[in-house]
Amino acid sequence: ESATASAVLPVLDFLQKASEEELRRKALLPRAQRRDGSDGQGDHGDSGSDGEQCAVDTGIFSMSSEFVSALLAWAISPSEAAGPCALDQVRKAELYCDYYLEIVTACIPGLGVDEYIGRMVNGGSKLSRAHLQSLHAALENLVFRAAYLPATFLHFGSLSEFPAAVAAVQSLKLRPFYELANRDHQAIAPAPSSACASAIPSSTAASAPAPAAASLPPVDAVSAEPSSRLVLNSCGCACDATGDTRSGGQIAMVEMCELSQLELGGANLVTGLRRMALSGRFRVPARICLDGR
């Protein structure tokens, strides 16, 4: 298959928190299926030195009626070995079943019941051996298929990683799928708040004056250098950040703020502030997050 074309492929295994070695051994994409179909380099060169890539799933499953029927039949069927039906035990908090562990793994083609139970025990399954045997028997003949699509993967990760991921979104000019689907319509386009028609009142300013109304940037503007700060979906905000990713610092991100003046120490996440002046002795220290929503 060409890497630029989508494809529906059978799922041969599920890996969770796999090591780099296990990914190389089990999940490395064939060269023809890598993003550019040649050396494997993605749009922004995020693959290994040899262009190694693997597919990352979104965790979204679409269940066929056959799958749902088989799963429910297992869940409501009591047995002599396992006792009352699994569904009743789950409702009483007497049994815990993990969809991404026990259920999807039972559908791996060619996985025998003993190997399946061994994987579940090693993975920390809370189901009894009898439950695992009956679940495997119910689902072993069903096969998952995955839609393989060319895409850019961004790891938003922890709070400290979030601003850098957002900066990558801006750098790659990525847009949400619903915006692309409605790009000829303005129903969901952001609109400036009426409060942006005036500057910050002097009574709320703690130091330097706020920007004048005539110089207010558009609401959807990116009004900062991505190397130190990122201002998104904000109106009338003056922002200064001392952090710089080129010197080991982290991006300060400001979003959905209005008519505010901000002096940030770096590695900040600030959202929802309105008519605030935080500078001078009110400067926001590094690695502090503010949410004014």
Side-chain angles (χ1 to χ4, degrees):
E1 297 283 350
S2 168
T4 59
S6 61
V8 178
L9 305 171
V11 175
L12 302 180
D13 205 346
F14 289 93
L15 304 176
Q16 291 193 12
K17 298 180 175 63
S19 65
E20 187 174 329
E21 293 73 20
E22 187 176 16
L23 290 175
R24 280 201 176 96
R25 189 172 67 254
K26 295 183 177 180
L28 200 63
L29 286 175
R31 191 168 294 275
Q33 289 180 341
R34 298 178 192 174
R35 289 203 49 172
D36 65 358
S38 56
D39 66 357
Q41 290 295 324
D43 289 345
H44 51 292
D46 56 357
S47 34
S49 58
D50 188 37
E52 296 176 333
Q53 293 184 355
C54 64
V56 178
D57 76 274
T58 61
I60 300 174
F61 285 76
S62 176
M63 304 177 194
S64 68
S65 57
E66 182 183 10
F67 176 85
V68 173
S69 296
L71 182 60
L72 287 178
W74 168 79
I76 64 176
S77 300
S79 70
E80 292 184 8
C85 71
L87 185 58
D88 284 344
Q89 294 181 67
V90 169
R91 285 172 171 168
K92 296 176 182 177
E94 297 173 351
L95 186 71
Y96 177 79
C97 182
D98 188 318
Y99 180 84
Y100 294 98
L101 179 62
E102 293 100 351
I103 294 174
V104 299
T105 308
C107 298
I108 295 176
L111 185 67
V113 63
D114 290 334
E115 185 181 357
Y116 168 71
I117 292 175
R119 284 184 59 163
M120 295 304 95
V121 171
N122 292 333
S125 173
K126 301 296 190 297
L127 294 183
S128 67
R129 183 180 182 88
H131 277 124
L132 291 171
Q133 285 177 325
S134 59
L135 178 59
H136 181 268
L139 303 180
E140 64 176 331
N141 293 321
L142 299 174
V143 178
F144 280 114
R145 290 175 174 82
Y148 174 73
L149 304 172
T152 297
F153 174 72
L154 293 173
H155 180 60
F156 286 88
S158 64
L159 194 61
S160 62
E161 295 170 305
F162 185 79
V166 174
V169 170
Q170 295 298 318
S171 175
L172 295 169
K173 295 181 170 59
L174 301 179
R175 311 302 295 175
F177 71 91
Y178 52 80
E179 181 174 329
L180 296 175
N182 295 275
R183 55 188 165 190
D184 295 329
H185 306 283
Q186 299 300 316
I188 61 172
S193 166
S194 59
C196 289
S198 61
I200 302 176
S202 58
S203 60
T204 64
S207 55
S215 63
L216 296 181
V219 165
D220 206 22
V222 179
S223 54
E225 296 180 5
S227 63
S228 61
R229 61 205 190 279
L230 191 64
V231 181
L232 298 172
N233 304 316
S234 297
C235 181
C237 289
C239 174
D240 180 46
T242 57
D244 190 331
T245 55
R246 291 168 294 188
S247 60
Q250 291 178 294
I251 295 171
M253 177 179 164
V254 176
E255 186 174 22
M256 295 189 300
C257 291
E258 182 181 347
L259 297 170
S260 296
Q261 183 158 346
L262 306 171
E263 185 180 349
L264 308 174
N268 305 106
L269 185 58
V270 180
T271 184
L273 297 187
R274 184 171 183 267
R275 296 178 179 269
M276 296 288 290
L278 301 174
S279 58
R281 64 192 182 97
F282 295 101
R283 175 178 177 270
V284 181
R287 305 187 67 81
I288 292 295
C289 299
L290 298 175
D291 189 343
R293 292 173 296 176

